[in-house]
Structures are given as structure tokens and as C-alpha cells.
Amino acid sequence: MNVVVLGANGFIGRNLVHALLKKSFHVTAFDRSLEKYTKENITWVEGDFFDLKMLESLVEQNDILIHAICTINPGTSNEKYMYAYHNDLLQSIELCELCTRYKKRLLFISSGGTVYGIQTHMPIAEETLPYPINHYGNLKLCTENTYRTFFKQQGTDIIIARISNVYGPGQDYAKGVGFIDAVIKRGLAGKTIEIFGEGNIVRDYIYIEDACEMLVELLKYNGKFRTFNVSSNFGTSQNDIINIVSEYIPKLKISYFKERDIDVKDIILDNSRIRSIYQGRIRGVQEGIKDYIEYLCK
């Protein structure tokens, strides 16, 4: 089966390519620029996601499209939202229309950490009404809702994956996302770790390899559900992360700053739906941090 990963040079995209290759998919890796990080059963295509002719060619030649491209992140979305609404959203709709026309499956990488917004009941199930508080989460939700309309009206084969806070090999916190990545790398370098608020923000952290294994399972899913949380089902605060990392990197330097209005206080996602089709490994955050530190220190 031929699968194209749109955004294959990103953190999730790169790891997803490796997960797909291990399962013997033929993978087309697509991005604006590509570092050829494997020589396995893969086709490399450099190009512009906003080039409609190129996008149509990718859809026509593959069985499954994985959409993991976004030009903003939660930290930049309040400054760059107009570009994202004008470009990301419209081109994501073009992609869905192409998948509808050519009858291809589309897996959309959404954001469980931002789509749900402020909620009082944890863990958050997929049926919960989303209430994003930043433009990144709202962009993801707008795309989701458009895709669901295509599914209802045209029967488009879509799957939406709301991924919680991933971490692990290949992440770069300097791009604006990745608290665990920042704590470990800044700790190893002897640099100060910045925390906005008092360190009580709780997130559902999941190791990138485990998240990608779940995504691969979704490619084979043929049941009634269209939306899945991809998560650990467990919450960990920033202060807890500091304490865990301190076991491996003593004397961390911490500075606390005023909390940001783009950050939701608590997010824990119910993963029972995806657990019904994925029975594989989900590392606890303690084990995941240990594995990631060992990886970085090789």
C-alpha cells in the first residue's frame, strides 16, 4: 500500500515515516526540503504543499494521504493566524476535495492539546465539545469540521487523529513546541529552563514512537468512528517533569515567568477509543524520559 506523508521533515512526520517503513508500507516522503534519513522502501519528493498540481499528483499516485503540515504552532498562532486561515485552511480543503475525487483515505494530524481548550472533566473524550483558546487549536478544529462535512456529504474516507503532547527523538523545542524536550536539552547544556506560571500546567505526554504506532493502526481501521485521541490517558505537571528529569540531570536551573494566556491549564485525553484497536506499548512518562535521555546521550 502506498502512503504519502505530507510534512515528512517535521517531528511527527519523520517518526511516522520510520513507523510506516517498519510495517512494510511504501512511503512517499513529501516536504519543502528533505533530509534523506533512510534508504529503505521510500520515495523522496520535495515541493510546495500549496502547489495544487503537485498535490493532485501525490493524491492520484498514492492510496493514503497523511496530512501533517501546519505553518503555525501554538506559540506563533496569535501573530500568524491570518496567513494560516488564508493558506493552510484553504489548501487543506483542496486536499480533501482531491481525496474525495480520487477516492483516497485521508488521515489528518490534529491537536488534542489545543483543540479541546478549557475543560473541567478529565480525561477528555472525543465527543466533548471543543473550545480552543488559541488560533492554532481553532485552525485545527476548522479543518476537522470541514473534513467531517466532506465525510457526511460526499463520503470522503477521513480519519482525524487528535494527538496529545508528543516528545522524543527528533523534536526541537526551539521551534516553539516541546516542554520535555526543552527541560532535557537545556538541562544537559546547563542552561536555564523557563516555565510560564507556577509549573502546575498538566499535559498528557506521549512518546513519539508510541504515538506513531497508534497512527499506523488507524490507517487500517474500518469501523464507525472518524475521530481518535492519540494519548497516554495520564496527566503530568511541569513541576513533575522537572522532578523526573532531575533524577537524571541534577541541579536544574529554573526560572518562572508570568503565565501565558495561550496555555490551557489542564489537558488529559481519554484514549479508550484508540485502545480498542491498538494494544501495543504506551510508555509512562518516567520511562519515556529515561529512554529519551539515553537516546540523546548516545
Side-chain angles (χ1 to χ4, degrees):
M1 185 169 290
N2 298 322
V3 180
V4 59
V5 179
L6 303 171
N9 211 38
F11 172 45
I12 293 176
R14 287 169 65 95
N15 281 277
L16 189 50
V17 165
H18 286 299
L20 289 164
L21 291 172
K22 285 195 296 184
K23 299 291 185 179
S24 300
F25 287 91
H26 181 273
V27 179
T28 295
F30 174 84
D31 216 318
R32 286 177 299 179
S33 61
L34 287 163
E35 175 189 347
K36 297 182 179 180
Y37 40 84
T38 178
K39 296 181 180 179
E40 298 178 73
N41 188 28
I42 190 166
T43 300
W44 303 96
V45 179
E46 290 189 351
D48 186 355
F49 175 66
F50 301 101
D51 181 339
L52 191 56
K53 288 185 178 179
M54 175 167 281
L55 198 60
E56 181 171 4
S57 176
L58 289 169
V59 172
E60 190 174 9
Q61 295 172 23
N62 290 276
D63 304 302
I64 300 173
L65 289 296
I66 301 176
H67 181 6
I69 289 178
C70 192
T71 62
I72 59 174
N73 62 50
T76 63
S77 66
N78 283 352
E79 291 77 42
K80 299 181 178 180
Y81 61 88
M82 286 304 294
Y83 180 89
Y85 288 133
H86 277 298
N87 294 279
D88 291 54
L89 179 57
L90 292 180
Q91 194 68 353
S92 294
I93 295 170
E94 293 278 12
L95 172 62
C96 194
E97 193 279 329
L98 288 169
C99 289
T100 304
R101 188 192 315 167
Y102 288 99
K103 295 181 169 51
K104 303 299 174 72
R105 165 161 282 198
L106 174 59
L107 172 63
F108 176 57
I109 305 301
S110 189
S111 169
T114 59
V115 162
Y116 290 108
I118 299 171
Q119 304 289 340
T120 55
H121 179 72
M122 304 286 164
I124 305 167
E126 289 87 348
E127 292 85 358
T128 303
L129 181 66
Y131 187 69
I133 65 169
N134 61 54
H135 287 288
Y136 177 79
N138 191 54
L139 173 67
K140 293 290 189 179
L141 183 58
C142 288
T143 307
E144 282 190 19
N145 285 335
T146 304
Y147 284 4
R148 275 187 280 269
T149 303
F150 270 91
F151 169 70
K152 289 292 185 182
Q153 298 299 322
Q154 281 85 27
T156 310
D157 186 3
I158 61 110
I159 297 289
I160 294 164
R162 290 174 171 170
I163 305 180
S164 63
N165 290 65
V166 283
Y167 67 99
Q171 192 166 36
D172 181 4
Y173 74 89
K175 294 181 179 179
V177 179
F179 181 74
I180 290 178
D181 188 59
V183 172
I184 293 174
K185 288 178 180 174
R186 293 187 74 84
L188 288 170
K191 297 180 180 179
T192 300
I193 296 154
E194 299 177 348
I195 295 180
F196 295 92
E198 298 178 353
N200 297 321
I201 288 177
V202 171
R203 291 290 180 268
D204 186 326
Y205 294 100
I206 185 166
Y207 202 73
I208 183 62
E209 183 179 341
D210 303 337
C212 287
E213 291 290 332
M214 294 181 183
L215 293 174
V216 172
E217 285 300 309
L218 285 179
L219 298 184
K220 301 177 283 185
Y221 175 75
N222 288 309
K224 65 178 181 178
F225 297 115
R226 294 290 116 184
T227 304
F228 290 84
N229 290 334
V230 175
S231 69
S232 72
N233 204 74
F234 187 80
T236 309
S237 74
Q238 292 176 321
N239 286 331
D240 288 336
I241 297 297
I242 295 295
N243 291 334
I244 294 170
V245 174
S246 294
E247 296 177 23
Y248 306 98
I249 309 171
K251 299 180 181 179
L252 295 175
K253 301 174 185 177
I254 315 293
S255 289
Y256 292 87
F257 297 87
K258 182 181 178 181
E259 65 182 20
R260 304 181 299 183
D261 58 9
I262 63 171
D263 294 322
V264 177
K265 295 292 187 293
D266 300 321
I267 291 288
I268 306 169
L269 304 186
D270 185 338
N271 71 358
S272 56
R273 179 175 291 180
I274 198 163
R275 263 311 202 183
S276 69
I277 64 170
Y278 172 79
Q279 287 78 46
R281 181 185 188 188
I282 300 180
R283 269 164 272 221
V285 71
Q286 178 102 28
E287 181 185 6
I289 286 174
K290 178 177 179 292
D291 287 350
Y292 190 29
I293 291 174
E294 289 177 352
Y295 169 85
L296 291 171
C297 292
K298 285 180 181 177

